[in-house]
Structures are given as structure tokens and as C-alpha cells.
Amino acid sequence: MSKKERPTKERSKGFLGIIENVGNKLPHPAILFVILALMVIVISEIAVRAGLAATFVDARLGEEVTIEAVSLFNGEGLSFIFNNATTNFTGFAPLGTVLVAMLGVGVAEWSGLIGDALKKLIKSVPTALLTSVVVFAGIVSNIASDAGYVVIIPLGAIVFAGAGRHPLAGLAAAFAGVSGGYSANLVIGPTDALLTGITNAALESANIDYEMAVTGNWYFMVVSTFLLTIVGTIITEKVIEPKLGEYKGSYKPDDEPLTDLQHKGLKLAGLSVLVYVFIIGLMLVPENAPLRALNEDTGLMTMDNFLSQGLIFAIFLLFVIPGFVYGKTVGKIKNSNDLVEGMTQSMSSMGGYIVLAFFAAQFISYFSYTNLGMILSVNGAEFLESVGFTGIPLIIAFTLLAAFLDLFLGSASAKWAIMAPIFIPMLFNVGLTPELTQIAYRIADSTSNIITPLMSYFAMVLVFMKRYEPKSGLGTLISTMLPYSMSFLVVWLIMLIGWYFSGLPIGPGSYMTF
């Protein structure tokens, strides 16, 4: 064994190596979801017999709600299992998002546009900044809601492979940015509006005369964007890449220099993107633009519907149009058959994801139907409320609890709707603002997303990983992402504590204490 090889092998025997080995000895992820679903069926019956229930004030409804455990191990539960198997699958949120986006990405990839564009990008971006660019792009992509999952993460792997680095390191860096940094950004996005709406509903339900602005966390989130970019870069280069070692998989980047025809194709493809973006802008920006819709709460014409529902199709076109232009220019696409071939090849590579998504959808649906995740969240919140912490210890304990609960209840809005009516008034009464409470929750929710299989896009990331390392499994993904999760959580909490004692505003006119 050479000295150069020894550190990698030693690292594989450490804590992360144990997690990876244990995780990879588990059954195939699809079968694992089957086992977990069977466990939920059994546990739900035990929970019903034990009389497990929880009462809380739902911020979205503004009223007290009592939920009881629901069994899947009876006639009604078995009917739910059989009657909803198909709709669980077709209604699985990431399924349509991923497949529609990948149709467009498939054309751009098959035509050669993505590979050649990234080849040019890699040459223009300094090697020392490549990791930072991938992490940063992942973080700011959340302005487009979930689009970063299906665009930035696979591109991160391709960019690293093209630069002669391990593609899984690029995938991990992008995943850490997109999901681990989901609450950070430079501009106000859909997540800010969604969570702030629930926070204000919780304040109203507690008869507290206070309203949080949607910009209440803005300054903190801007600084978080750069902090997480730095931390994500360090973890990727100092921990993940040494752990992964040299890439010996079958994927080989094309090192041939670009031809004049390829350069021409890139220019025309870039021009087509500019024209497309300009047209979309005309349909979005003017006050009465066709892609705007009336927001009944504000009475204003907004682009909220487009961002939440229409953006994925817009991304589909964003890849199809330049992909077609590039393929036509370089001669890869000669007719409509070639265009469809690009989409077909893309879908054939998603077969593993479709199978995995079917079983993941069943498990997540069962877990939601039985109310087990919500009961755990409510009882956990009530336990923390009874401990009697105040100030920073309370904030830290709340953040850690929310991070733990995120492993079992993936939806950020559903979990916040449960926790906000409990913690917003509780922390308000000890002099801590709703802005601070919401920040602590967002930190917890983001940092746990990248290590829980209950996160909707976790299965998709695992499939992307298998493209480059077919033998990788659930343990590989979790052990790879755990250093990001722990580092983001610790560093973010330190920043939160420092900001708390500094007394600086965390948004326009918003502070952490009264």
C-alpha cells in the first residue's frame, strides 16, 4: 500500500466509513422503503391501541386541532393502501417535477450542449473557485423553488468530472448548497413568503398584536449565503474529496478541444436563451402580464402561481430550445426523430428513479396517513416547552429539536404550522422576536434535509449518484452528506448566537430581541 493510498483507506474505517458500510449493507433502497412501510403499518396499530394523540393550534387554520394515531392494520387502512397506491405514486410531488425537467435536460445533454458548455465554463472558472461556484449556485437556486434539485445537482457532478475531479464530490457540493442551504439566499423567495405567512397566522391565533414582514430574515439569509458557501467549499475539498479518493468509475469526460462549429453552436444556443428569457420576462414583469395571476389575499397581480406551478415547464423549455439550436448547428439533430431520441434516452436513464419513487411514495403516504410524524412533532414541542429554558439555551434546544423532527416530517410548511403556534408565543413572551424563532427553525429544517430519506428528492439524488458509482447505496449518500449537515448546523448556530449578542438587525427593521 502506498502512502498516498493509506489516508483514504484509513478514513473509510472511521465514523463515516461505519455509517457508509452499515447503510450499504441494508437492502436496495426500494426494498428498504417497503420494509419501512410495513413497519409503519405495524407501529400505527400499536399507536392506536396505546391511544396516542396530540392537540395543538394549527397556524394555517387558526384553531385548535386534535389528531389521533390512525391504523393501517384494519379494513379502512387496508382499503387506503390498495385504493391509493396509484395516486400515491402519480401524486408524488418530485416525480412530475423531475421527469418534466429531465425531458428538457435530456435534449440539451444528448445534443452535446451541456457537455460542451461546461467544458468552456471549466476553462473560464479558476480551479480554486470551482467548488465555491457549485455550492453558491446551489444555494441561490432555491429562488426557483425545487428547480435546483433537478438542475444544479446533476450538473455539479458533471462539472467536477469534466475538471478531472470525483463526480460524487461535485454532486455532494451541489446537494449541500441546494438542500442544506435551502433557507439562505440573496433575494426574497417563495420560502420566505410561505413561512412568514404561517408565523403571522400563529401570532394572530395567540392574539399577539405583531406582524412579521416577509423581509424579516433577509439580512441574516444574505450573510448565511456566503457563510455556507465557504463552509461547503471547505468540507468538499478537505473532507469529502479525500474520503472519496480517486475516481475510477466508467464515466470519462471529453477532453477534446471545441471546434469552430461547436463554438458557433454555443453562441447561437446562448442567443436563443437570451431571446427566450426576454420573452418570458415580457410575460411576467408587466403588471398585467399573462403569466401573472390575482393573489386573493393581497388583491395584487403576482407571479406566485408561475413560480410554484409553471416554473418547471419554463425550465423544460429553457433546456429544449438551446439544446435543439445547438444540436441543429453541429449536426446532431437533423429531424424531429433526433429531438425525441434525446428525450427518450433521458427517460431510459430515469427507470431506476421511477421504481424507487413508487415505493418511496407509498411509505411517505402511509407515514402521513397515520399521523405518526405530526404526533411526534407536537409531543416533542410540548416537551421542550416544559423544560423551562430561556434565551440562547432555549433557541439552541429548539433548533436541535426541529432538526431532529425534520428527519421524520419532511414538509417544512407542515412542520412549521405545528411548531409555530407553540414556539412563536412562548419565545415572544420571554422577549425573543418571531423573526429569531423563524430563523432558528429554518436553520434546523435546512441542515437535516440532506441526511433524511424522507426528504422528497433524496431518492432522486441517490439515483444520480448511482450513475457514477453503481455500487453506492443509501449509506454512501448519508455518510457523504453528514459532514455538511453537522458543519452547517454548528456554524449556523454559532453565527446565530454571535448575531444575537451583537444586537444587529436581521432584516429591515427586524431584530432578535425586543
Side-chain angles (χ1 to χ4, degrees):
M1 185 194 304
S2 68
K3 291 182 178 179
K4 190 172 183 180
E5 293 172 332
R6 190 173 294 116
T8 300
K9 291 186 176 290
E10 288 174 354
R11 284 188 184 90
S12 67
K13 296 178 182 178
F15 176 66
L16 296 179
I18 293 173
I19 293 177
E20 179 176 357
N21 292 332
V22 171
N24 288 344
K25 286 180 181 178
L26 294 172
H28 187 281
I31 303 303
L32 185 60
F33 279 117
V34 173
I35 295 172
L36 291 173
L38 293 174
M39 290 175 62
V40 169
I41 294 173
V42 174
I43 293 172
S44 68
E45 176 65 17
I46 296 173
V48 169
R49 291 178 181 271
L52 290 185
T55 300
F56 65 98
V57 176
D58 190 314
R60 293 171 295 187
L61 300 176
E63 59 186 39
E64 189 173 84
V65 177
T66 298
I67 54 171
E68 299 176 345
V70 179
S71 176
L72 283 163
F73 203 68
N74 55 30
E76 189 175 344
L78 292 174
S79 294
F80 175 84
I81 291 173
F82 281 89
N83 296 343
N84 292 275
T86 301
T87 53
N88 288 343
F89 178 49
T90 57
F92 189 49
L95 183 65
T97 299
V98 171
L99 295 184
V100 171
M102 289 305 295
L103 279 173
V105 172
V107 172
E109 188 173 14
W110 185 80
S111 68
L113 171 62
I114 290 180
D116 292 342
L118 290 176
K119 188 187 299 184
K120 189 169 184 177
L121 173 67
I122 290 168
K123 291 182 179 179
S124 62
V125 175
T127 305
L129 295 179
L130 187 59
T131 307
S132 300
V133 169
V134 170
V135 177
F136 180 79
I139 294 173
V140 298
S141 71
N142 72 60
I143 188 62
S145 191
D146 293 345
Y149 284 100
V150 293
V151 177
I152 302 298
I153 293 175
L155 290 184
I158 296 173
V159 166
F160 267 52
R165 298 168 65 178
H166 204 298
L168 294 194
L171 181 144
F175 187 22
V178 172
S179 197
Y182 195 74
S183 276
N185 213 318
L186 301 180
V187 296
I188 301 300
T191 304
D192 298 273
L194 176 64
L195 297 183
T196 301
I198 295 174
T199 297
N200 286 328
L203 289 165
E204 184 178 352
S205 67
N207 294 318
I208 296 176
D209 187 18
Y210 186 96
E211 184 174 355
M212 177 179 166
V214 73
T215 56
N217 296 159
W218 188 22
Y219 297 162
F220 190 89
M221 292 299 110
V222 169
V223 176
S224 297
T225 302
F226 297 104
L227 176 70
L228 296 185
T229 298
I230 295 170
V231 175
T233 300
I234 294 172
I235 295 298
T236 302
E237 296 181 350
K238 302 300 182 182
V239 178
I240 302 305
E241 285 193 283
K243 172 183 176 292
L244 292 171
E246 182 183 354
Y247 179 62
K248 297 180 180 179
S250 59
Y251 180 86
K252 302 296 180 185
D254 181 10
D255 294 328
E256 292 294 323
L258 297 178
T259 64
D260 291 340
L261 189 61
Q262 287 172 319
H263 280 293
K264 178 182 178 182
L266 289 176
K267 289 180 180 178
L268 292 177
L271 181 61
S272 71
V273 169
L274 292 176
V275 173
Y276 171 72
V277 170
F278 177 74
I279 293 173
I280 290 291
L282 290 178
M283 293 192 291
L284 272 177
V285 176
E287 185 175 350
N288 294 315
L291 291 181
R292 284 178 173 262
L294 179 66
N295 186 315
E296 295 182 359
D297 294 331
T298 63
L300 301 175
M301 298 292 288
T302 69
M303 59 181 74
D304 294 347
N305 285 348
F306 173 79
L307 291 175
S308 62
Q309 301 175 26
L311 187 60
I312 293 301
F313 183 67
I315 289 175
F316 163 78
L317 294 176
L318 183 63
F319 281 94
V320 167
I321 292 172
F324 175 78
V325 170
Y326 182 82
K328 198 73 175 174
T329 303
V330 301
K332 186 69 180 286
I333 296 178
K334 300 180 179 64
N335 51 46
S336 60
N337 291 333
D338 293 331
L339 180 65
V340 175
E341 176 64 19
M343 297 183 186
T344 303
Q345 286 198 15
S346 175
M347 288 299 98
S348 66
S349 68
M350 296 303 293
Y353 172 69
I354 294 173
V355 172
L356 189 57
F358 174 79
F359 295 106
Q362 307 308 319
F363 165 62
I364 292 173
S365 177
Y366 297 174
F367 202 71
S368 174
Y369 176 83
T370 58
N371 289 332
L372 293 177
M374 296 184 72
I375 291 173
L376 178 63
S377 296
V378 173
N379 291 335
E382 290 178 349
F383 166 76
L384 186 56
E385 184 180 18
S386 67
V387 172
F389 284 143
T390 59
I392 282 297
L394 174 59
I395 285 295
I396 294 175
F398 166 66
T399 305
L400 295 178
L401 174 68
F404 173 73
L405 294 177
D406 190 56
L407 299 175
F408 305 96
L409 191 61
S411 171
S413 58
K415 192 161 64 270
W416 188 226
I418 294 171
M419 301 183 76
I422 299 172
F423 288 102
I424 290 292
M426 184 174 82
L427 273 66
F428 189 95
N429 290 331
V430 295
L432 303 179
T433 65
E435 288 86 349
L436 170 57
T437 309
Q438 182 172 291
I439 278 179
Y441 172 75
R442 296 176 72 171
I443 290 173
D445 179 69
S446 295
T447 52
S448 293
N449 277 339
I450 51 180
I451 58 173
T452 173
L454 279 173
M455 198 274 291
S456 299
Y457 289 93
F458 203 81
M460 181 207 72
V461 178
L462 182 59
V463 170
F464 284 145
M465 176 176 275
K466 284 181 173 291
R467 283 186 176 183
Y468 303 97
E469 291 282 8
K471 294 183 179 180
S472 60
L474 201 62
T476 308
L477 181 53
I478 292 176
S479 66
T480 301
M481 300 313 301
L482 190 60
Y484 293 103
S485 178
M486 300 304 294
S487 300
F488 281 11
L489 180 59
V490 171
V491 172
W492 228 341
L493 273 175
I494 292 173
M495 174 181 161
L496 180 68
I497 294 169
W499 205 303
Y500 176 89
F501 287 112
S502 73
L504 294 172
I506 53 178
S510 302
Y511 294 83
M512 289 191 172
T513 59
F514 292 111

